[in-house]
Amino acid sequence: MNLPQGELIRRRVLEDAGTVLRTAFERELTGFARLESQDTLLLDADGVGVLPFEDGIPVAAYHTGTDAAGTEAVTDIGSTGPYRLELYELDGEITEQIHGDERLRVPPALPAQQLSGETELVDQIRERAPETWQETASDTSLDAVEQFLDDEQKVEAIRDHARTEAQSRADEWNFPTDQT
């Protein structure tokens, strides 16, 4: 996803991704958040999460390290901080183009559900988001999730990668591990 730089309106390190979502919602931001999770900051993982907003409502997601889009990208962004945040304001025409890409689209409340768990924010986003966004995005994302879960090879490859990465980190840091 190539986005123009936009106008930087906030840069900081924060503990909770919910802060990003709340700030964008309250400002009715049209733009995007660029989030580097603790894995990127501390464990040399690659990539950042990008959450575009229209009028403060999350409309899409992309992760540069995994090349994941939509709901899968929200999962890759992660739910534990700290995060390095950059919040940018963009022209509405650009975010409309992003929102038009079905591959990137997310249900409006999904990022708040997965990244913050703030039920009040989730409800506020659902109330403000046009119903057509919720219907189209939820249908698309449910199909994508079902396809992903049905692909046993992909799920097992992720598990294997996680095991290998955990073992590598444990070896690197001289932690004792169970080799069974």
Side-chain angles (χ1 to χ4, degrees):
M1 172 191 301
N2 291 324
L3 291 172
Q5 190 66 22
E7 180 183 340
L8 179 65
I9 57 174
R10 174 170 271 168
R11 177 184 288 151
R12 64 186 243 195
V13 173
L14 46 89
E15 197 59 39
D16 177 21
T19 304
V20 174
L21 298 162
R22 169 77 52 205
T23 300
F25 183 80
E26 289 172 355
R27 287 178 173 236
E28 297 184 11
L29 176 72
T30 296
F32 68 96
R34 185 179 181 279
L35 289 161
E36 286 183 84
S37 71
Q38 72 175 356
D39 292 343
T40 302
L41 296 171
L42 303 175
L43 300 177
D44 298 328
D46 292 328
V48 298
V50 179
L51 291 172
F53 298 90
E54 281 186 43
D55 299 322
I57 307 297
V59 295
Y62 183 75
H63 192 277
T64 64
T66 60
D67 199 32
T71 57
E72 190 177 329
V74 175
T75 301
D76 288 350
I77 291 170
S79 59
T80 58
Y83 295 93
R84 180 179 299 143
L85 161 71
E86 293 177 353
L87 201 56
Y88 294 91
E89 196 165 48
L90 285 176
D91 183 68
E93 291 177 17
I94 295 167
T95 56
E96 285 177 21
Q97 291 172 2
I98 295 165
H99 188 212
D101 186 341
E102 289 186 26
R103 186 178 75 89
L104 300 171
R105 198 174 302 156
V106 296
L110 179 76
Q113 285 173 323
Q114 286 192 1
L115 300 176
S116 78
E118 292 182 35
T119 55
E120 182 181 341
L121 179 60
V122 170
D123 292 343
Q124 290 172 334
I125 289 172
R126 280 191 182 125
E127 287 174 22
R128 186 186 293 170
E131 194 162 317
T132 56
W133 290 8
Q134 295 178 39
E135 292 169 1
T136 305
S138 62
D139 294 343
T140 303
S141 66
L142 185 57
D143 292 343
V145 170
E146 287 173 345
Q147 283 179 335
F148 175 77
L149 293 175
D150 286 342
D151 189 344
E152 291 180 27
Q153 289 178 329
K154 197 172 196 179
V155 171
E156 189 58 37
I158 290 170
R159 285 185 184 133
D160 289 343
H161 177 74
R163 282 186 204 105
T164 302
E165 183 67 23
Q167 183 64 48
S168 172
R169 295 290 177 199
D171 291 346
E172 181 181 324
W173 295 337
N174 297 319
F175 288 148
T177 58
D178 183 13
Q179 299 289 332
T180 58

